[in-house]
Amino acid sequence: GESVGLHLPTLSVQEGDNSIINCAYSNSASDYFIWYKQESGKGPQFIIDIRSNMDKRQGQRVTVLLNKTVKHLSLQIAATQPGDSAVYFCAESLTNAGKSTFGDGTTLTVKP
Amino acid sequence: DAMVIQNPRYQVTQFGKPVTLSCSQTLNHNVMYWYQQKSSQAPKLLFHYYDKDFNNEADTPDNFQSRRPNTSFCFLDIRSPGLGDAAMYLCATSRGGSPYEQYFGPGTRLTVT
Protein backbone atom coordinates (compact mmCIF):
# COMPACT_ATOMS: atom_id res chain seq x y z
CA GLY A 1 0.00 0.00 0.00
CA GLU A 2 0.95 3.64 -0.25
CA SER A 3 2.88 5.19 2.59
CA VAL A 4 1.32 8.34 3.98
CA GLY A 5 2.88 10.67 6.50
CA LEU A 6 1.26 10.66 9.89
CA HIS A 7 -0.02 13.82 11.55
CA LEU A 8 2.18 14.68 14.51
CA PRO A 9 1.06 17.19 17.14
CA THR A 10 4.64 18.38 17.60
CA LEU A 11 7.69 18.49 15.37
CA SER A 12 11.18 19.60 16.31
CA VAL A 13 13.79 20.29 13.66
CA GLN A 14 17.26 21.76 13.47
CA GLU A 15 17.67 25.16 11.88
CA GLY A 16 18.48 24.73 8.20
CA ASP A 17 16.81 21.33 7.89
CA ASN A 18 13.67 20.75 5.84
CA SER A 19 10.37 20.28 7.69
CA ILE A 20 7.39 18.21 6.61
CA ILE A 21 4.05 18.74 8.33
CA ASN A 22 1.23 16.35 7.56
CA CYS A 23 -2.53 16.68 7.68
CA ALA A 24 -5.38 14.28 7.03
CA TYR A 25 -8.62 15.88 5.91
CA SER A 26 -12.05 14.44 6.40
CA ASN A 27 -14.29 15.31 3.45
CA SER A 28 -13.52 13.68 0.13
CA ALA A 29 -15.61 16.38 -1.58
CA SER A 30 -13.42 19.22 -0.28
CA ASP A 31 -11.87 21.07 -3.18
CA TYR A 32 -9.81 23.85 -1.63
CA PHE A 33 -7.12 23.58 1.01
CA ILE A 34 -5.08 26.12 2.90
CA TRP A 35 -2.15 26.01 5.27
CA TYR A 36 -2.08 28.60 8.05
CA LYS A 37 0.68 29.54 10.44
CA GLN A 38 -0.22 30.73 13.92
CA GLU A 39 2.41 32.36 16.07
CA SER A 40 1.92 32.68 19.80
CA GLY A 41 -0.65 35.33 20.70
CA LYS A 42 -1.62 35.99 17.08
CA GLY A 43 -4.31 34.93 14.66
CA PRO A 44 -3.62 32.37 11.93
CA GLN A 45 -1.83 33.70 8.88
CA PHE A 46 -2.20 32.38 5.33
CA ILE A 47 0.84 30.51 3.99
CA ILE A 48 -0.22 28.73 0.82
CA ASP A 49 -3.29 27.20 -0.77
CA ILE A 50 -4.07 24.50 -3.30
CA ARG A 51 -7.17 23.52 -5.26
CA SER A 52 -8.18 19.95 -5.78
CA ASN A 53 -7.30 19.97 -9.48
CA MET A 54 -3.63 20.21 -8.52
CA ASP A 55 -1.39 17.88 -6.57
CA LYS A 56 1.50 20.22 -5.90
CA ARG A 57 2.00 23.94 -5.47
CA GLN A 58 5.15 25.83 -4.59
CA GLY A 59 5.66 29.12 -2.84
CA GLN A 60 8.66 30.80 -1.37
CA ARG A 61 10.43 28.08 0.68
CA VAL A 62 7.13 26.20 1.02
CA THR A 63 5.52 23.44 -1.01
CA VAL A 64 2.09 21.92 -0.51
CA LEU A 65 1.32 18.42 -1.71
CA LEU A 66 -2.19 17.06 -2.06
CA ASN A 67 -3.06 13.37 -2.28
CA LYS A 68 -6.79 13.08 -2.83
CA THR A 69 -6.71 9.30 -2.95
CA VAL A 70 -5.88 9.09 0.73
CA LYS A 71 -7.17 12.55 1.72
CA HIS A 72 -3.76 13.77 2.78
CA LEU A 73 -2.10 17.15 2.66
CA SER A 74 1.47 18.03 3.51
CA LEU A 75 3.44 21.23 3.93
CA GLN A 76 7.14 21.20 3.24
CA ILE A 77 9.29 24.02 4.53
CA ALA A 78 12.78 24.27 3.07
CA ALA A 79 15.74 25.45 5.14
CA THR A 80 13.65 25.91 8.27
CA GLN A 81 14.43 29.05 10.25
CA PRO A 82 13.75 30.02 13.90
CA GLY A 83 11.03 32.38 12.65
CA ASP A 84 9.15 29.36 11.32
CA SER A 85 8.45 28.19 14.88
CA ALA A 86 4.67 28.27 15.24
CA VAL A 87 1.56 26.11 15.14
CA TYR A 88 0.57 25.05 11.63
CA PHE A 89 -3.01 24.22 10.66
CA CYS A 90 -4.46 22.85 7.48
CA ALA A 91 -7.99 23.83 6.53
CA GLU A 92 -10.35 22.25 4.01
CA SER A 93 -13.35 23.76 2.32
CA LEU A 94 -15.95 23.24 -0.38
CA THR A 95 -16.62 25.72 -3.14
CA ASN A 96 -19.82 27.61 -2.28
CA ALA A 97 -19.78 26.42 1.33
CA GLY A 98 -18.32 29.76 2.37
CA LYS A 99 -16.41 28.31 5.28
CA SER A 100 -13.44 26.13 6.18
CA THR A 101 -12.84 23.34 8.66
CA PHE A 102 -9.53 23.38 10.46
CA GLY A 103 -7.54 20.23 11.14
CA ASP A 104 -5.49 19.54 14.23
CA GLY A 105 -2.43 21.72 14.48
CA THR A 106 1.23 20.80 14.52
CA THR A 107 3.58 22.77 16.74
CA LEU A 108 6.87 23.27 14.93
CA THR A 109 9.92 24.08 17.04
CA VAL A 110 13.13 25.07 15.30
CA LYS A 111 16.30 24.50 17.29
CA PRO A 112 19.23 26.83 16.58
CA ASP B 1 -1.99 48.85 8.34
CA ALA B 2 -4.15 46.48 10.37
CA MET B 3 -6.80 44.93 8.15
CA VAL B 4 -8.82 42.97 10.71
CA ILE B 5 -8.98 44.66 14.07
CA GLN B 6 -10.30 43.13 17.25
CA ASN B 7 -11.08 44.99 20.43
CA PRO B 8 -10.29 44.54 23.15
CA ARG B 9 -7.27 42.23 22.92
CA TYR B 10 -7.90 41.01 26.45
CA GLN B 11 -11.28 40.90 28.15
CA VAL B 12 -12.11 39.79 31.66
CA THR B 13 -15.72 39.19 32.55
CA GLN B 14 -17.57 37.67 35.47
CA PHE B 15 -19.47 34.43 35.34
CA GLY B 16 -22.91 35.15 33.91
CA LYS B 17 -22.19 38.79 33.01
CA PRO B 18 -22.88 39.57 29.33
CA VAL B 19 -19.89 40.52 27.25
CA THR B 20 -19.44 41.81 23.71
CA LEU B 21 -16.37 41.41 21.56
CA SER B 22 -15.91 43.53 18.47
CA CYS B 23 -14.28 43.12 15.10
CA SER B 24 -13.78 45.57 12.28
CA GLN B 25 -12.21 45.22 8.85
CA THR B 26 -10.78 47.58 6.25
CA LEU B 27 -10.79 44.99 3.45
CA ASN B 28 -14.42 45.46 2.40
CA HIS B 29 -14.83 41.69 2.43
CA ASN B 30 -18.26 40.14 2.14
CA VAL B 31 -17.76 37.39 4.70
CA MET B 32 -16.96 37.70 8.39
CA TYR B 33 -16.37 34.77 10.70
CA TRP B 34 -16.17 34.19 14.44
CA TYR B 35 -14.07 31.33 15.77
CA GLN B 36 -13.46 30.06 19.26
CA GLN B 37 -10.00 28.67 19.95
CA LYS B 38 -9.07 26.93 23.16
CA SER B 39 -5.53 26.23 24.16
CA SER B 40 -3.63 23.96 21.75
CA GLN B 41 -6.74 23.31 19.69
CA ALA B 42 -7.84 24.19 16.19
CA PRO B 43 -10.08 27.22 15.71
CA LYS B 44 -13.73 26.18 15.90
CA LEU B 45 -16.19 28.07 13.72
CA LEU B 46 -19.11 29.53 15.66
CA PHE B 47 -20.92 31.36 12.83
CA HIS B 48 -20.34 33.53 9.82
CA TYR B 49 -22.03 36.27 7.86
CA TYR B 50 -22.14 36.40 4.10
CA ASP B 51 -23.10 40.05 3.70
CA LYS B 52 -26.19 40.24 5.91
CA ASP B 53 -26.97 36.54 5.78
CA PHE B 54 -26.24 34.87 9.10
CA ASN B 55 -25.03 31.26 9.14
CA ASN B 56 -24.93 29.53 12.50
CA GLU B 57 -23.01 26.30 13.06
CA ALA B 58 -25.23 23.51 14.34
CA ASP B 59 -23.25 23.00 17.52
CA THR B 60 -22.85 26.66 18.48
CA PRO B 61 -24.54 27.20 21.86
CA ASP B 62 -27.47 29.61 22.04
CA ASN B 63 -25.44 31.60 24.53
CA PHE B 64 -23.46 32.96 21.59
CA GLN B 65 -25.02 35.58 19.34
CA SER B 66 -23.69 37.84 16.63
CA ARG B 67 -24.53 41.13 14.96
CA ARG B 68 -23.26 42.68 11.78
CA PRO B 69 -24.62 46.22 11.49
CA ASN B 70 -22.62 47.02 8.35
CA THR B 71 -19.90 45.58 6.11
CA SER B 72 -17.07 46.73 8.33
CA PHE B 73 -18.18 45.67 11.78
CA CYS B 74 -19.19 42.42 13.42
CA PHE B 75 -19.88 41.71 17.09
CA LEU B 76 -19.88 38.58 19.19
CA ASP B 77 -22.22 38.65 22.17
CA ILE B 78 -21.94 36.08 24.92
CA ARG B 79 -25.12 36.38 26.92
CA SER B 80 -24.15 34.48 30.05
CA PRO B 81 -20.49 33.49 30.00
CA GLY B 82 -19.53 30.32 31.76
CA LEU B 83 -16.09 29.20 32.84
CA GLY B 84 -15.98 26.95 29.78
CA ASP B 85 -16.28 29.97 27.49
CA ALA B 86 -12.83 31.21 28.43
CA ALA B 87 -10.90 31.08 25.18
CA MET B 88 -9.34 33.08 22.37
CA TYR B 89 -11.99 34.47 20.03
CA LEU B 90 -10.83 35.03 16.49
CA CYS B 91 -12.52 37.15 13.86
CA ALA B 92 -11.73 36.53 10.20
CA THR B 93 -12.84 37.84 6.82
CA SER B 94 -12.81 36.59 3.26
CA ARG B 95 -13.94 37.88 -0.11
CA GLY B 96 -16.64 35.25 -0.44
CA GLY B 97 -17.84 33.59 -3.60
CA SER B 98 -15.38 30.85 -4.43
CA PRO B 99 -13.53 29.74 -1.32
CA TYR B 100 -10.76 32.18 -0.58
CA GLU B 101 -8.20 32.47 2.13
CA GLN B 102 -9.35 34.01 5.36
CA TYR B 103 -7.69 37.01 6.97
CA PHE B 104 -7.60 36.77 10.73
CA GLY B 105 -7.50 39.40 13.40
CA PRO B 106 -5.17 39.06 16.40
CA GLY B 107 -7.94 37.65 18.59
CA THR B 108 -9.48 38.60 21.90
CA ARG B 109 -8.45 36.53 24.91
CA LEU B 110 -11.52 36.13 27.13
CA THR B 111 -11.14 35.28 30.80
CA VAL B 112 -14.18 34.37 32.90
CA THR B 113 -13.85 34.77 36.67
Side-chain angles (χ1 to χ4, degrees):
Chain A
E2 189 171 353
S3 174
V4 173
L6 293 174
H7 169 261
L8 300 173
T10 61
L11 177 66
S12 183
V13 301
Q14 207 70 38
E15 181 178 358
D17 287 352
N18 297 334
S19 302
I20 299 176
I21 300 171
N22 296 303
C23 173
Y25 63 92
S26 58
N27 188 347
S28 57
S30 292
D31 56 7
Y32 180 61
F33 306 88
I34 304 177
W35 280 100
Y36 289 95
K37 172 186 180 183
Q38 187 174 24
E39 295 175 277
S40 181
K42 297 182 179 180
Q45 180 183 15
F46 172 87
I47 301 173
I48 191 167
D49 60 359
I50 188 167
R51 296 191 183 270
S52 58
N53 59 354
M54 303 172 69
D55 53 22
K56 180 179 179 178
R57 189 155 190 237
Q58 287 184 289
Q60 187 176 12
R61 278 200 311 118
V62 294
T63 300
V64 56
L65 300 177
L66 175 62
N67 185 331
K68 295 183 288 293
T69 303
V70 294
K71 294 189 291 185
H72 180 266
L73 201 62
S74 70
L75 176 70
Q76 300 177 2
I77 305 174
T80 314
Q81 302 168 0
D84 295 326
S85 294
V87 182
Y88 289 81
F89 293 99
C90 68
E92 60 179 303
S93 63
L94 267 168
T95 301
N96 298 325
K99 61 182 182 179
S100 298
T101 301
F102 280 72
D104 293 332
T106 293
T107 301
L108 175 67
T109 302
V110 181
K111 296 177 289 185
Chain B
D1 290 358
M3 297 181 291
V4 182
I5 303 157
Q6 290 189 245
N7 285 307
R9 293 293 312 279
Y10 300 90
Q11 176 74 57
V12 181
T13 191
Q14 293 178 334
F15 182 93
K17 185 175 180 180
V19 65
T20 295
L21 309 182
S22 71
C23 177
S24 64
Q25 55 136 336
T26 59
L27 296 162
N28 204 34
H29 281 172
N30 296 97
V31 192
M32 294 187 77
Y33 308 82
W34 279 105
Y35 289 87
Q36 179 192 66
Q37 186 177 31
K38 297 192 174 180
S39 186
S40 304
Q41 295 181 18
K44 179 180 180 299
L45 183 64
L46 296 172
F47 23 62
H48 72 281
Y49 275 94
Y50 196 126
D51 293 326
K52 289 186 179 296
D53 292 333
F54 178 70
N55 299 273
N56 198 31
E57 292 301 297
D59 57 354
T60 298
D62 292 340
N63 196 27
F64 291 86
Q65 305 284 318
S66 186
R67 297 169 283 135
R68 189 179 185 187
N70 53 52
T71 300
S72 301
F73 286 87
C74 196
F75 300 98
L76 170 62
D77 301 309
I78 308 176
R79 293 193 298 189
S80 182
L83 296 178
D85 296 327
M88 175 75 86
Y89 289 89
L90 295 163
C91 174
T93 73
S94 77
R95 281 186 278 176
S98 295
Y100 286 109
E101 69 202 74
Q102 294 179 26
Y103 294 78
F104 282 83
T108 294
R109 169 77 61 189
L110 178 68
T111 300
V112 182
T113 60

XYZ file of all heavy atoms in Angstrom, chain A residues 23 25 30-37 44-51 57 64 66 73-75 88-93 99-103, chain B residues 33 35 93-94 98-104:
405
model
N -1.149 16.425 7.293
C -2.528 16.683 7.681
C -3.427 15.704 6.934
O -3.251 15.492 5.726
C -2.881 18.125 7.321
S -4.605 18.563 7.551
N -7.347 15.159 5.919
C -8.618 15.876 5.909
C -9.771 14.883 5.843
O -9.584 13.704 5.547
C -8.671 16.917 4.796
C -8.587 16.406 3.381
C -9.730 16.099 2.649
C -7.349 16.263 2.747
C -9.662 15.662 1.342
C -7.267 15.823 1.446
C -8.427 15.523 0.739
O -8.350 15.084 -0.554
N -14.112 17.941 -0.443
C -13.425 19.223 -0.284
C -12.568 19.503 -1.503
O -11.922 18.604 -2.044
C -12.551 19.210 0.971
O -13.346 19.175 2.137
N -12.581 20.753 -1.948
C -11.867 21.075 -3.181
C -10.924 22.265 -3.045
O -10.374 22.749 -4.039
C -12.860 21.315 -4.324
C -13.874 22.405 -4.010
O -13.735 23.069 -2.959
O -14.798 22.589 -4.812
N -10.732 22.723 -1.839
C -9.811 23.851 -1.628
C -9.180 23.672 -0.274
O -9.873 23.403 0.717
C -10.593 25.162 -1.717
C -9.771 26.412 -1.531
C -8.730 26.730 -2.404
C -10.044 27.294 -0.500
C -7.982 27.883 -2.244
C -9.304 28.445 -0.327
C -8.276 28.737 -1.199
O -7.539 29.879 -1.039
N -7.865 23.863 -0.215
C -7.116 23.578 1.011
C -6.122 24.712 1.254
O -5.524 25.239 0.314
C -6.365 22.253 0.878
C -7.252 21.104 0.495
C -7.511 20.824 -0.837
C -7.853 20.317 1.473
C -8.354 19.784 -1.205
C -8.688 19.267 1.111
C -8.935 19.000 -0.219
N -5.984 25.037 2.524
C -5.080 26.124 2.901
C -4.230 25.674 4.079
O -4.707 24.956 4.973
C -5.853 27.387 3.334
C -6.811 27.851 2.240
C -4.915 28.527 3.704
C -7.644 29.049 2.646
N -2.994 26.129 4.089
C -2.146 26.011 5.271
C -2.045 27.392 5.921
O -1.787 28.393 5.251
C -0.755 25.513 4.910
C -0.678 24.033 4.716
C -0.667 23.346 3.548
C -0.598 23.047 5.748
N -0.583 21.993 3.767
C -0.538 21.787 5.127
C -0.552 23.094 7.151
C -0.442 20.590 5.846
C -0.470 21.912 7.867
C -0.408 20.680 7.214
N -2.231 27.379 7.262
C -2.083 28.601 8.049
C -0.974 28.404 9.075
O -0.762 27.303 9.583
C -3.375 28.929 8.809
C -4.526 29.405 7.967
C -5.493 28.513 7.512
C -4.672 30.747 7.637
C -6.569 28.946 6.748
C -5.749 31.188 6.874
C -6.687 30.280 6.434
O -7.758 30.714 5.691
N -0.330 29.508 9.390
C 0.684 29.542 10.444
C 0.175 30.427 11.567
O -0.288 31.539 11.321
C 1.986 30.137 9.882
C 3.082 30.416 10.896
C 4.248 31.141 10.220
C 5.369 31.442 11.202
N 6.472 32.217 10.567
N -4.235 33.128 13.024
C -3.622 32.370 11.930
C -3.323 33.260 10.727
O -4.061 34.203 10.441
C -4.690 31.328 11.592
C -5.494 31.175 12.844
C -5.519 32.547 13.446
N -2.270 32.922 10.040
C -1.833 33.699 8.881
C -1.699 32.756 7.690
O -1.097 31.697 7.795
C -0.492 34.359 9.198
C 0.094 35.201 8.097
C 1.460 35.752 8.470
O 2.098 35.303 9.407
N 1.905 36.751 7.743
N -2.250 33.172 6.556
C -2.200 32.379 5.331
C -0.755 32.117 4.893
O 0.083 33.015 4.904
C -2.935 33.143 4.227
C -2.806 32.556 2.849
C -3.694 31.581 2.426
C -1.820 32.982 1.982
C -3.594 31.054 1.144
C -1.701 32.460 0.708
C -2.591 31.495 0.287
N -0.472 30.832 4.533
C 0.839 30.514 3.994
C 0.727 30.190 2.509
O 1.391 30.777 1.669
C 1.454 29.295 4.707
C 1.593 29.520 6.201
C 2.820 28.964 4.107
C 2.035 28.264 6.928
N -0.108 29.196 2.189
C -0.223 28.727 0.824
C -1.526 27.960 0.683
O -2.035 27.404 1.664
C 0.992 27.839 0.446
C 1.029 27.549 -1.063
C 1.011 26.547 1.255
C 2.353 26.953 -1.531
N -2.059 27.937 -0.524
C -3.295 27.200 -0.766
C -3.133 26.299 -1.991
O -2.174 26.425 -2.757
C -4.484 28.139 -0.951
C -4.330 29.112 -2.119
O -3.277 29.089 -2.796
O -5.254 29.911 -2.353
N -4.075 25.380 -2.144
C -4.068 24.498 -3.305
C -5.493 24.069 -3.601
O -6.278 23.817 -2.676
C -3.129 23.277 -3.081
C -2.972 22.471 -4.367
C -3.643 22.405 -1.939
C -1.834 21.446 -4.306
N -5.838 24.002 -4.868
C -7.165 23.523 -5.263
C -7.062 22.043 -5.633
O -5.981 21.543 -5.939
C -7.707 24.367 -6.419
C -7.918 25.805 -6.003
C -8.687 26.623 -7.007
N -8.780 28.017 -6.546
C -9.765 28.482 -5.780
N -10.740 27.690 -5.396
N -9.778 29.745 -5.406
N 1.892 22.500 -5.241
C 1.999 23.940 -5.467
C 3.171 24.453 -4.654
O 3.358 24.075 -3.496
C 0.713 24.648 -5.050
C 0.684 26.100 -5.450
C -0.724 26.624 -5.593
N -0.686 27.946 -6.201
C -1.200 29.037 -5.662
N -1.803 28.958 -4.502
N -1.116 30.193 -6.270
N 3.227 22.689 -0.998
C 2.092 21.915 -0.508
C 1.836 20.775 -1.488
O 1.867 20.966 -2.701
C 0.833 22.791 -0.302
C 0.447 23.529 -1.557
C -0.325 21.956 0.197
N -0.838 17.535 -2.293
C -2.192 17.055 -2.060
C -2.343 15.660 -2.645
O -2.071 15.447 -3.827
C -3.204 18.003 -2.698
C -4.675 17.589 -2.659
C -5.174 17.481 -1.228
C -5.529 18.569 -3.462
N -2.708 15.874 3.045
C -2.100 17.149 2.655
C -0.788 17.272 3.416
O -0.706 16.884 4.594
C -3.051 18.260 3.101
C -3.030 19.645 2.497
C -3.361 19.592 1.032
C -4.037 20.512 3.233
N 0.241 17.786 2.770
C 1.474 18.033 3.511
C 2.034 19.407 3.153
O 1.788 19.940 2.063
C 2.511 16.945 3.232
O 2.991 17.051 1.907
N 2.759 19.943 4.107
C 3.441 21.231 3.932
C 4.921 20.985 4.127
O 5.326 20.465 5.172
C 2.935 22.250 4.958
C 3.633 23.608 4.942
C 3.259 24.379 3.682
C 3.284 24.417 6.187
N 1.011 25.083 13.012
C 0.570 25.047 11.627
C -0.734 24.259 11.541
O -0.852 23.148 12.072
C 1.643 24.415 10.740
C 2.840 25.310 10.586
C 3.827 25.371 11.567
C 2.985 26.128 9.467
C 4.912 26.216 11.450
C 4.076 26.980 9.331
C 5.028 27.012 10.333
O 6.106 27.865 10.209
N -1.707 24.853 10.860
C -3.014 24.224 10.664
C -3.295 24.075 9.173
O -3.031 25.002 8.399
C -4.143 25.077 11.253
C -4.136 25.213 12.734
C -3.610 26.341 13.347
C -4.683 24.218 13.535
C -3.619 26.477 14.728
C -4.694 24.347 14.921
C -4.154 25.470 15.514
N -3.870 22.949 8.808
C -4.458 22.847 7.484
C -5.957 23.111 7.610
O -6.543 22.897 8.674
C -4.197 21.483 6.853
S -5.051 20.114 7.651
N -6.550 23.591 6.542
C -7.987 23.832 6.525
C -8.541 23.362 5.189
O -7.908 23.556 4.149
C -8.295 25.308 6.740
N -9.701 22.727 5.226
C -10.353 22.252 4.006
C -11.674 22.969 3.824
O -12.319 23.358 4.808
C -10.603 20.735 4.087
C -11.485 20.313 5.254
C -11.748 18.810 5.293
O -12.265 18.260 4.292
O -11.456 18.195 6.338
N -12.061 23.141 2.571
C -13.354 23.763 2.318
C -13.918 23.295 0.993
O -13.229 22.696 0.168
C -13.252 25.290 2.349
O -12.398 25.746 1.334
N -17.107 28.468 4.012
C -16.411 28.311 5.283
C -15.392 27.194 5.164
O -15.419 26.399 4.234
C -17.411 27.992 6.395
C -18.189 26.696 6.166
C -19.205 26.456 7.260
C -19.926 25.142 7.038
N -20.916 24.856 8.105
N -14.477 27.153 6.137
C -13.436 26.129 6.182
C -13.494 25.365 7.482
O -13.975 25.879 8.494
C -12.049 26.780 6.084
O -11.887 27.453 4.866
N -12.983 24.153 7.452
C -12.838 23.340 8.661
C -11.353 23.141 8.906
O -10.626 22.687 8.024
C -13.522 21.978 8.496
O -14.912 22.184 8.220
C -13.371 21.160 9.766
N -10.933 23.486 10.118
C -9.528 23.381 10.463
C -9.205 21.985 10.986
O -9.976 21.400 11.759
C -9.170 24.408 11.540
C -8.957 25.793 10.996
C -10.028 26.544 10.551
C -7.686 26.327 10.922
C -9.836 27.824 10.036
C -7.488 27.604 10.416
C -8.556 28.358 9.976
N -8.035 21.484 10.590
C -7.539 20.233 11.143
C -6.753 20.500 12.407
O -6.550 21.647 12.817
N -16.270 36.001 9.919
C -16.371 34.767 10.697
C -16.005 35.036 12.150
O -15.147 35.866 12.441
C -15.381 33.718 10.181
C -15.419 33.417 8.711
C -14.755 34.227 7.798
C -16.074 32.288 8.222
C -14.761 33.944 6.445
C -16.077 31.984 6.870
C -15.415 32.819 5.991
O -15.422 32.526 4.651
N -14.568 32.623 15.333
C -14.069 31.334 15.770
C -13.786 31.391 17.269
O -13.402 32.438 17.812
C -12.747 31.001 15.081
C -12.821 30.668 13.620
C -12.775 31.680 12.646
C -12.901 29.352 13.183
C -12.816 31.373 11.303
C -12.939 29.034 11.837
C -12.895 30.055 10.904
O -12.926 29.746 9.566
N -12.058 37.387 7.967
C -12.844 37.843 6.819
C -12.364 37.109 5.567
O -11.242 36.595 5.523
C -12.691 39.353 6.580
O -11.396 39.627 6.029
C -12.880 40.153 7.854
N -13.236 37.062 4.578
C -12.814 36.593 3.261
C -13.677 37.269 2.214
O -14.745 37.826 2.521
C -12.898 35.073 3.131
O -14.226 34.645 2.948
N -16.206 32.057 -4.487
C -15.377 30.854 -4.432
C -14.609 30.857 -3.111
O -14.331 31.910 -2.578
C -14.401 30.829 -5.587
O -15.093 30.726 -6.814
N -14.246 29.707 -2.591
C -13.526 29.736 -1.323
C -12.211 30.486 -1.473
O -11.453 30.240 -2.391
C -13.295 28.256 -0.999
C -13.450 27.538 -2.275
C -14.400 28.328 -3.071
N -11.973 31.404 -0.619
C -10.755 32.183 -0.581
C -10.144 32.083 0.796
O -10.799 31.727 1.760
C -11.042 33.656 -0.874
C -11.346 33.954 -2.325
C -12.629 34.302 -2.712
C -10.353 33.909 -3.291
C -12.917 34.588 -4.039
C -10.634 34.188 -4.615
C -11.922 34.537 -4.978
O -12.205 34.810 -6.272
N -8.887 32.441 0.845
C -8.204 32.473 2.130
C -8.916 33.430 3.071
O -9.583 34.378 2.636
C -6.770 32.949 1.934
C -6.688 34.424 1.538
C -5.402 34.780 0.859
O -5.262 34.394 -0.316
O -4.561 35.428 1.501
N -8.772 33.156 4.332
C -9.347 34.014 5.358
C -8.243 34.867 5.977
O -7.111 34.416 6.148
C -10.031 33.169 6.430
C -11.252 32.431 5.874
C -11.941 31.580 6.898
O -11.879 31.829 8.100
N -12.629 30.553 6.432
N -8.609 36.081 6.305
C -7.694 37.015 6.967
C -8.145 37.129 8.420
O -9.286 37.514 8.682
C -7.741 38.382 6.296
C -7.212 38.389 4.879
C -7.987 37.910 3.843
C -5.941 38.865 4.596
C -7.509 37.904 2.531
C -5.458 38.873 3.291
C -6.244 38.385 2.274
O -5.766 38.376 0.988
N -7.247 36.816 9.312
C -7.598 36.767 10.731
C -7.138 38.018 11.467
O -6.080 38.579 11.172
C -6.952 35.549 11.393
C -7.661 34.262 11.100
C -7.409 33.562 9.930
C -8.584 33.739 11.994
C -8.067 32.375 9.648
C -9.244 32.553 11.721
C -8.981 31.871 10.549
